[in-house]
Amino acid sequence: MKAKQLKLILGDQLNPLHSWFQQVDNDVVYIIAELQQEADYTKHHIKKITAFFAAMADFSDHLKKQDHQVCYLTLDETNEYQDLPDLLTALAKQYGCEAIHYQQPDEYRLRDQLHQMSKQITLPMFEEDTEHFLLSFEQLREHFTPKKHVRMETFYHFMRKRFDILMEAGKPQGGAWNYDANNRQSFSVSDLKKIPRPLIFDNPAKSYLTRIEAHKVKTIGESSEQVDYPINRQQSLQLLHYFCEHQLPNFGNFQDAMTVNSPYSWSLYHSRLSFSLNCKMINPMEVVQTALHAFTHSRGAITLPQIEGFVRQIIGWREYVRGMYWVNMPDYSSQNVLSASRDLPKYFWDGKTKMQCLKSAISQSLEHAYAHHIQRLMITGNFSLLAGIAPEQVDEWYLGIYIDAIEWVELPNTRSMALFADGGWIATKPYAASGNYVNKMSDYCKNCRYKVKEKVSADACPLNSLYWNFIDQHYDKFSKNPRMSFPVRNWDKIDNGQKIAIREKAANILANLNEL
């Protein structure tokens, strides 16, 4: 079998609507491959790898049914090749190809790898658009400047106007751009009973588990013989419609809430569409339009704050972090303005900690390869910020444990939002919080070993002394930041004796992080 063109499809490029696939061309062979380099570049959750492999295999089958010429390779077949360029070079020779085409990778390391390859081989290589995002790669530099703060809200307003979403006569529908202040409810006892059952799938994973084990791929998390997440466009659309019907009516209200008192505490009202979106099985505009259609025809069941909160995540935040990622790479991955250097505690790998908030968020992540944005930002992220955990270790953990984690979306959320390691490129102040925030937005504190109202006692919530110690340790930097004036002034008001006790308590915690 010969082909003039080899076209590479990466594991997060499973878009059946891409222009590549609209016509069958017998001069093209599509390559989809399980690769050791992709399974090993960080220690991934086992469910993340099985989900990617299952989705890739399903996409290969889909293309074959459309009569496209597809070469699908498992780890068994690619094991002899050193890396992706080695594989592509060999396959291009095998098929007698005259050119290699690929869609632009969403991770800097892969794009750089392919760019370097193009300089080293005589065969021409062509990079093409993924046709997924709302803004093209070239348009990003119109809105983002390297190492400069770009206000997400301003970008979000632009996107709303550009695509005429929730707009009336050039103004935001309802008179306000953002209803975030309405979206900070926690769960009452009656609310807990109404949390909907999540839609999960039963895609077989046993063959992938066997192959992963045979090739000694190191993983984290709990394995399962089924993939709960969508592995194709049809299942992704099912999940989207399920969300619009059962979860969107309360999405905004409870998007920041957390609980341990529900069998569905891991899913709540969140769409869990991020894996489908990030693998490009569905596209952001159809997600938004489907949700808008549900809002319009809901007869008031879906209110404006609910739909606006969801739209903001898709056309605002998701597109924004992509822009921030690309305009700041590769320097982004080395930012550490707070000089954080401690090791990630061992319970991040097993969930065995007496802190109920961390135990819940980490255990859930290990079980489901998923946690919602507030658990990531204000539980594991906030703790890592206050404890001064090395950003590269936090990056690696987030990139590995979450099923939807691809570096373009993971790194800005971790290094910028959670850790403030960039010093303000995204957030204008650290998202630092004491135990009071956790208590307000969850029921984690009610049955915790530690007491959320106490600062320095033996049973005091560790977040409290760590929070004030964090303000103290970076006092000079924060005192120059107007958005940090409130906590800085409050620290100034604490008497010296209490300050000494807080510092001593925090020092003891930091010296014994693995014992919490």
Side-chain angles (χ1 to χ4, degrees):
M1 184 167 60
K2 296 295 182 180
K4 291 183 179 179
Q5 298 179 54
L6 182 155
K7 292 191 173 183
L8 172 66
I9 302 170
L10 295 171
D12 63 345
Q13 296 175 344
L14 311 180
N15 175 12
L17 304 183
H18 194 280
S19 59
W20 275 6
F21 313 122
Q22 301 316 301
Q23 288 186 326
V24 174
D25 186 343
N26 292 326
D27 285 331
V28 173
V29 59
Y30 294 103
I31 306 300
I32 303 176
E34 300 173 1
L35 287 169
Q36 196 82 29
Q37 79 161 44
E38 295 306 290
D40 280 348
Y41 74 89
T42 192
K43 190 183 288 187
H44 296 286
H45 198 297
I46 184 67
K47 288 187 176 179
K48 179 182 182 183
I49 300 180
T50 57
F52 268 94
F53 283 4
M56 290 159 63
D58 192 278
F59 193 63
S60 173
D61 290 342
H62 167 79
L63 293 182
K64 288 176 182 177
K65 289 174 183 176
Q66 305 298 315
D67 294 324
H68 293 288
Q69 188 176 199
V70 182
C71 174
Y72 180 79
L73 301 172
T74 71
L75 285 175
D76 296 337
E77 288 88 36
T78 63
N79 193 46
E80 63 181 284
Y81 300 99
Q82 180 180 343
D83 53 19
L84 178 59
D86 191 27
L87 172 67
L88 293 179
T89 301
L91 291 176
K93 183 177 180 181
Q94 175 185 324
Y95 284 99
C97 296
E98 298 173 3
I100 295 174
H101 296 251
Y102 63 92
Q103 296 173 33
Q104 181 183 321
D106 284 331
E107 290 197 327
Y108 178 88
R109 64 178 181 86
L110 275 171
R111 191 177 192 221
D112 184 60
Q113 185 181 44
L114 291 171
H115 280 191
Q116 294 304 317
M117 177 185 173
S118 70
K119 298 174 184 177
Q120 296 166 3
I121 65 172
T122 56
L123 208 62
M125 294 181 67
F126 300 95
E127 182 178 86
E128 301 181 33
D129 195 86
T130 63
E131 302 174 9
H132 172 79
F133 294 97
L134 299 178
L135 294 183
S136 70
F137 189 76
E138 291 71 27
Q139 289 173 317
L140 295 179
R141 292 208 174 259
E142 298 174 14
H143 304 279
F144 301 94
T145 304
K147 300 182 181 181
K148 297 291 184 182
H149 172 68
V150 177
R151 191 166 178 258
M152 202 289 281
E153 191 70 15
T154 303
F155 175 78
Y156 172 53
H157 294 181
F158 162 78
M159 294 293 281
R160 286 268 295 272
K161 289 184 281 189
R162 163 79 180 270
F163 295 100
D164 194 26
I165 294 173
L166 293 177
M167 301 294 294
E168 291 178 343
K171 296 183 179 180
Q173 189 171 333
W177 289 101
N178 186 316
Y179 292 88
D180 198 37
N182 298 53
N183 298 342
R184 294 170 184 165
Q185 296 182 36
S186 56
F187 293 113
S188 67
V189 174
S190 60
D191 291 329
L192 292 172
K193 297 176 182 177
K194 300 173 186 176
I195 296 172
R197 179 191 300 270
L199 175 62
I200 59 174
F201 298 88
D202 189 17
N203 299 301
K206 192 171 182 179
S207 63
Y208 309 110
L209 291 171
T210 301
R211 197 152 59 243
I212 289 165
E213 183 179 0
H215 289 275
K216 296 180 172 57
V217 177
K218 294 180 180 179
T219 62
I220 57 175
E222 299 177 25
S223 66
S224 171
E225 292 191 357
Q226 71 179 43
V227 176
D228 296 340
Y229 286 82
I231 62 168
N232 53 44
R233 177 171 172 77
Q234 180 183 10
Q235 291 182 356
S236 299
L237 291 173
Q238 279 183 257
L239 187 59
L240 171 59
H241 289 291
Y242 186 90
F243 165 71
C244 290
E245 181 179 354
H246 299 284
Q247 295 165 304
L248 183 54
N250 272 309
F251 169 77
N253 291 335
F254 299 114
Q255 68 173 330
D256 290 1
M258 298 166 284
T259 181
V260 291
N261 292 308
S262 168
Y264 314 128
S265 60
W266 70 281
S267 53
L268 303 175
Y269 289 96
H270 297 274
S271 72
R272 296 180 299 113
L273 287 165
S274 49
F275 178 70
S276 294
L277 275 165
N278 293 353
C279 289
K280 304 177 182 60
M281 293 182 273
I282 50 176
N283 67 68
M285 187 53 74
E286 73 180 321
V287 169
V288 168
Q289 293 298 342
T290 301
L292 288 171
H293 182 269
F295 164 64
T296 304
H297 294 84
S298 70
R299 298 181 179 180
I302 301 172
T303 62
L304 185 57
Q306 316 311 309
I307 186 65
E308 186 279 318
F310 183 67
V311 164
R312 183 164 13 104
Q313 285 194 352
I314 305 298
I315 71 166
W317 187 247
R318 188 171 183 268
E319 296 281 327
Y320 171 83
V321 296
R322 173 178 175 251
M324 291 300 291
Y325 173 79
W326 278 111
V327 80
N328 286 301
M329 285 298 286
D331 294 340
Y332 215 150
S333 58
S334 61
Q335 297 305 300
N336 188 9
V337 299
L338 299 182
S339 302
S341 60
R342 291 187 180 87
D343 289 334
L344 202 66
K346 61 184 180 182
Y347 38 82
F348 271 69
W349 307 104
D350 59 22
K352 296 178 180 178
T353 170
K354 297 183 287 292
M355 292 182 68
Q356 183 64 54
C357 57
L358 284 179
K359 179 181 178 180
S360 297
I362 293 170
S363 297
Q364 171 189 313
S365 301
L366 290 167
E367 180 180 358
H368 297 285
Y370 176 80
H372 71 68
H373 64 287
I374 292 298
Q375 291 174 304
R376 301 187 200 194
L377 175 64
M378 299 306 299
I379 302 299
T380 49
N382 178 57
F383 176 83
S384 298
L385 171 69
L386 300 183
I389 307 300
E392 63 273 13
Q393 293 189 29
V394 184
D395 274 341
E396 185 177 7
W397 186 81
Y398 276 83
L399 187 60
I401 201 167
Y402 293 120
I403 194 167
D404 53 15
I406 301 171
E407 192 184 60
W408 70 269
V409 68
E410 172 276 321
L411 193 146
N413 275 290
T414 302
R415 203 164 278 248
S416 289
M417 286 296 290
L419 302 180
F420 198 66
D422 62 2
W425 293 353
I426 289 183
T428 53
K429 70 179 184 67
Y431 275 80
S434 66
N436 182 57
Y437 174 86
V438 178
N439 194 36
K440 178 183 176 183
M441 295 309 304
S442 77
D443 49 29
Y444 292 155
C445 303
K446 291 181 180 177
N447 295 308
C448 184
R449 155 75 170 73
Y450 298 104
K451 297 179 179 177
V452 69
K453 300 294 185 182
E454 298 187 13
K455 292 186 179 72
V456 296
S457 69
D459 294 332
C461 171
L463 295 176
N464 294 335
S465 58
L466 289 179
Y467 172 78
W468 289 115
N469 182 72
F470 176 71
I471 301 299
D472 182 44
Q473 290 294 306
H474 303 288
Y475 184 91
D476 289 344
K477 186 181 295 290
F478 294 161
S479 62
K480 299 171 185 175
N481 183 340
R483 293 208 64 204
M484 290 297 288
S485 60
F486 183 72
V488 166
R489 285 200 307 269
N490 282 342
W491 174 248
D492 288 338
K493 294 175 184 176
I494 297 175
D495 67 66
N496 286 333
Q498 182 76 344
K499 284 181 178 178
I500 292 171
I502 289 171
R503 291 184 184 119
E504 290 177 349
K505 177 68 176 179
N508 182 262
I509 290 171
L510 293 171
N512 299 278
L513 279 180
N514 282 314
E515 310 307 316
L516 291 179

